Amino acid sequence: QSALTQPASVSGSPGQSITISCTGASSDIGTFNRVSWYQQHPGKTPKLIIYEVTNRPSGVPDRFSGSKSGNTASLTISGLQADDEADYYCNSYTTGNTKFGGGTKLTVL
Amino acid sequence: EVQLSESGGGLVQPGGSLRLSCAASGFTFSSYGMSWVRQAPGKGLEWISAISGDGGKTFNSDSVRGRFTISRDNSKNILYLQMNSLTAEDTAVYYCAKEAAAGGVITQFDCWGQGTLVTVSS
């Protein structure tokens, strides 16, 4: 059960846009549209920000968007704000289980 | 308001056992699949176990299969995780997480508890 692959870190300045990639396989991201993204601030619990590849839960700003191409999913955050600095985790369903990515630390410069 | 509250964590010796509980409120508990997700100190999230809303289906990761057992009591709105044969690699904060959609299981989690710390050490 290999974890999904994410970059360890990304950074951007306030107002800029960043994209975090999440690479899986044909057996998970490539087949199922059950990709979700979670934001976790230090010492806090994870928060769902994207589900089913592109959907935002109520209350999540439209600055957060998701997409998928082949075996890779992506999270884009536009108009970066200081409070976006956090760890981000992707997740994908696969038959009989679910996998998280290793996490990406976003630094807002 | 949906609330999840874990309990039962603590210090346990290698080879020991522990049972975690997760008390749920604010939603129709029996309609939603539930999962346990853990996070080792300074590390990422790891899904370990899930159960369907009616308790009829369970799923486990390779890392805990045969050692951990997930169960639920829908009359009490409580989720459990029985952990046996614990090793140092099981040291982590353990979160219970609610499935976002009724009837779903291990797809996406829209509510998480505050977590309970399990430390396996002699």
Side-chain angles (χ1 to χ4, degrees):
Chain A
Q1 293 175 340
S2 302
L4 307 175
T5 301
Q6 298 180 234
S9 64
V10 298
S11 63
S13 299
Q16 288 186 333
S17 296
I18 63 95
T19 297
I20 300 172
S21 62
C22 172
T23 301
S26 58
S27 58
D28 42 64
I29 293 177
T31 295
F32 300 99
N33 287 325
R34 293 290 189 263
V35 177
S36 52
W37 290 88
Y38 301 84
Q39 177 192 62
Q40 187 179 33
H41 287 106
K44 303 296 186 181
T45 63
K47 174 186 176 183
L48 178 66
I49 56 172
I50 295 288
Y51 67 97
E52 293 176 359
V53 181
T54 62
N55 297 308
R56 284 185 309 278
S58 173
V60 174
D62 60 6
R63 300 186 297 105
F64 293 85
S65 63
S67 63
K68 184 182 89 167
S69 178
N71 298 337
T72 299
S74 299
L75 171 70
T76 297
I77 308 174
S78 59
L80 271 179
Q81 299 179 0
D83 189 54
D84 296 334
E85 186 161 294
D87 294 325
Y88 292 83
Y89 296 91
C90 63
N91 173 271
S92 176
Y93 171 84
T94 184
T95 304
N97 74 81
T98 190
K99 304 177 183 179
F100 283 96
T104 298
K105 181 176 180 58
L106 169 60
T107 300
V108 180
L109 303 171
Chain B
E1 179 190 5
V2 174
Q3 289 191 330
L4 300 172
S5 180
E6 301 93 339
S7 60
L11 176 64
V12 61
Q13 292 189 338
S17 298
L18 210 56
R19 188 177 82 158
L20 306 182
S21 299
C22 170
S25 62
F27 65 103
T28 304
F29 185 64
S30 60
S31 294
Y32 290 84
M34 298 290 295
S35 281
W36 287 98
V37 178
R38 68 184 181 184
Q39 187 168 33
K43 302 297 185 182
L45 302 173
E46 180 191 13
W47 170 83
I48 57 172
S49 195
I51 188 167
S52 60
D54 65 0
K57 294 181 180 178
T58 61
F59 306 86
N60 294 286
S61 69
D62 289 345
S63 61
V64 306
R65 187 171 292 118
R67 299 188 301 125
F68 292 9
T69 302
I70 189 172
S71 62
R72 63 192 297 160
D73 185 335
N74 286 345
S75 68
K76 297 181 179 178
N77 289 359
I78 300 178
L79 175 72
Y80 300 102
L81 185 68
Q82 177 67 44
M83 305 186 296
N84 298 329
S85 304
L86 287 161
T87 73
E89 287 66 44
D90 296 316
T91 294
V93 173
Y94 285 71
Y95 297 102
C96 62
K98 168 186 168 291
E99 193 65 30
V105 63
I106 56 173
T107 55
Q108 46 250 337
F109 313 113
D110 67 345
C111 185
W112 300 61
Q114 84 286 355
T116 186
L117 177 61
V118 172
T119 303
V120 184
S121 175
S122 56

